[in-house]
Amino acid sequence: MQRPVSLLFGVHAHQPIGNFPEVLEDAHFRCYKPFLETLYRYPDFYFAVHFSGWLLDYLFKHYPQDMALLKAMVNRGQVELFGAGDTEPVLAVIPNRDRIGQIEAFSSKLATTLGQRPQGAWLTERVWESTVVPALADCGIRYVIVDDYHFLCTGKSTAQLSGFYTTEEDAHQLDIFPISETLRYKLPFSPANDAIAYLESLADQHLSGDEEQRRAAIYFDDIEKFGIWPETYQWVYEKGWLEQFIQGVLASPKIEPRHYHDYHATENTQGIIYLPTTSYIEMNTWTLPAESAQAYDDLIKESKAAGWYEQKKAYLRGGIWKNFLSRYPESNWMHKRMLALSARLAGLPDNQRTPDMQQKLYAAQANDAYWHGLFGGLYLPHLRRAIYNNLIELETMLDRCSPRETVFIKDFDLDGMDEIHLQNNTLQIITKRDRHASIVEFDAYPLHHNFGDTLQRQTEQYYRNVQLDGQISQGESDNPESGIVSAHDRVINKHIIHAADLKPDIHPRHLFVDSLNDTLINYRYITSDSGTIYFQSDNSQYPVEKAFSLIANRLNARYSFTEKSGSIFRTEINLAMPSCDGMGGRFIYQDDILGCFGQLLQLTQLNRITLDDDTLGGRIILSTSAPVQFNAQPHFTVSQSEHGFEKIMQAVTLQLEWPIQQHALTVTLEIHKH
């Protein structure tokens, strides 16, 4: 008798820490709520689900009646819960002690809130490194799921990927299920009857080994595909795709929905395997620099046109997830700041460490703001801000327990260039000992905010697909019988984008990047004392001395000139203001509101101006010891998301300009909390 294929159906639900409330509300009502309500009506459709820890807390707080459906489905045995790190970190890039802490925290949360401790775990972005195996095993995780691509890279064929395999690391054992790429692209984008027919075709195939082994159809992917991705709410719920799919599965004698733990308990491993360091196949392109990514993308297109891509795609390797840390200095900076604070926290005596400290660290390890792709959030200022909010709050707590030196020098981001830290318990600046002598990070501890948190514009591989100067290109399907278009295949502009918006920056978007007569000044570090950092320009004709100092809530940048040359001096200050180009941020000059941060502003003979920000809950007062020409403009970058290409404001760029007609000029940034 023919045995039905075991359908192991799982979904992953996640929202980044720091996401906007309106986004969370929309996600719930277009996806999480209707998905749970639909599945609740079919108790015989067994499935697995992973809600990230932060999202689970949010949904229980704001939508308890909907989460009661989830709990009821757990209680009646319909749902299998999957674990992970509590704040959805990429486990491979955090210390092992934090891996164990994060996994255990989330497993305990699931046991407490939903009554089930997980045996399986979701790996964030399916990033696999064998180093994560011991932590998972030590926390009682028996199996994880990754893409079938991971297995193909070892030489396995698709026909061999109908069950789970076993790996080991440092005498720790873990089983691994391969997610079907075919199912990832079929569900829910192809018509339900096509998806059912494909699943039934799997039941007609025979395993190459033990004939008693039950073939598994393995699916585990983002729940957001079921309602949040473009076109999917209408397709999945209004047009009934999800119910049609469930009904088709339950009506088919060739398909049996099962839990992962049930399949794992009753079937045998298909053998030992050692997976390479990789993630899902789309990530291979995203992690590469633009030129390399274009070459890789072209190679894939050529292989598809020639007809050999599917057979040999495992040997067309791109980058790995950690490339984001070397590709984006801003990502690496956050990551190394996080690692340093993790080490400080681990070094505290047990009686000084608190759960609040631990939670701030874990929140700063959330993956979203560390990478960029179709779904990564590095380009989203509010997600980076959430990382820095938690890092700075944690640093404040640690300083109370174990005060730091006022100034210290160390290359903590491992780029070969020392950084100079200067702090006074109210403010902190970090400068690099490079030629720009600019401020990389500017923290206000009362506001838990880094004003240096911006993003330098660099060329991206997807730029060649952007439609310039107002042209709009769509990638949507107008044939409902063929399904809908995946977000991976859409090409659409959300905003009008011009060529200038894609031009890479010639210098970092830091604070106090200086030029003389339109030529960038090269500085060298001189020395630092308890309250001041000193630099000297390499310009022998018009030497410039530059000094940063902190006094209470004020940052002073003092420029000293040997002679009154009449040359034009300019300094650029890039400030991360949380309101960006929204109405909550505004320039206030002589008691008048002149506009928001997203507008151009020019003022002559300026001595003082206020940048007030409701989202920040504070303001910066910029003042100068002599009048200057003041220019302000928004700094935008172009990013790609599942909704298309969009311009995002990263910072407000201030340029102060003056002729050198005095021997010194001081620029002061004074920080106030509302």
Side-chain angles (χ1 to χ4, degrees), residues 365-429:
Q365 293 173 339
N367 80 92
D368 308 272
Y370 287 97
W371 65 283
H372 178 56
L374 199 58
F375 314 107
L378 176 64
Y379 270 63
L380 301 178
H382 62 289
L383 300 189
R384 296 197 311 271
R385 185 165 68 249
I387 297 293
Y388 277 112
N389 288 162
N390 285 285
L391 287 175
I392 294 168
E393 286 190 73
L394 174 58
E395 193 162 57
T396 302
M397 297 174 186
L398 292 171
D399 285 347
R400 292 195 192 108
C401 296
S402 179
R404 291 175 293 155
E405 297 176 277
T406 300
V407 60
F408 65 95
I409 301 175
K410 181 181 179 181
D411 176 20
F412 82 94
D413 65 344
L414 309 180
D415 69 345
M417 187 71 62
D418 283 342
E419 291 84 41
I420 309 158
H421 298 62
L422 178 65
Q423 60 88 21
N424 65 359
N425 295 322
T426 300
L427 303 178
Q428 174 174 246
I429 60 172

Side-chain angles (χ1 to χ4, degrees), residues 413-483:
D413 65 344
L414 309 180
D415 69 345
M417 187 71 62
D418 283 342
E419 291 84 41
I420 309 158
H421 298 62
L422 178 65
Q423 60 88 21
N424 65 359
N425 295 322
T426 300
L427 303 178
Q428 174 174 246
I429 60 172
I430 306 177
T431 67
K432 297 190 82 68
R433 288 183 58 172
D434 61 9
R435 62 190 181 91
H436 297 296
S438 55
I439 293 176
V440 181
E441 182 171 338
F442 177 30
D443 301 320
Y445 287 112
L447 297 170
H448 313 302
H449 182 67
N450 169 22
F451 289 101
D453 171 26
T454 185
L455 200 66
Q456 183 175 348
R457 188 188 296 134
Q458 60 172 276
T459 300
E460 297 286 359
Q461 180 267 342
Y462 53 78
Y463 279 7
R464 61 179 176 174
N465 296 325
V466 174
Q467 305 298 308
L468 294 177
D469 302 323
Q471 300 180 45
I472 301 295
S473 176
Q474 301 276 351
E476 300 174 354
S477 172
D478 55 7
N479 181 9
E481 294 184 0
S482 65

Side-chain angles (χ1 to χ4, degrees), residues 258-309:
R258 298 178 72 188
H259 287 314
Y260 279 84
H261 65 71
D262 175 45
Y263 185 92
H264 184 260
T266 58
E267 308 296 338
N268 296 324
T269 179
Q270 292 188 302
I272 189 72
I273 200 165
Y274 295 93
L275 302 180
T277 296
T278 191
S279 179
Y280 51 88
I281 196 167
E282 297 89 350
M283 189 75 79
N284 288 356
T285 301
W286 300 340
T287 63
L288 294 173
E291 185 176 349
S292 299
Q294 288 177 6
Y296 179 70
D297 193 48
D298 289 342
L299 184 59
I300 289 177
K301 290 177 180 176
E302 291 169 9
S303 69
K304 289 181 177 179
W308 55 265
Y309 172 73

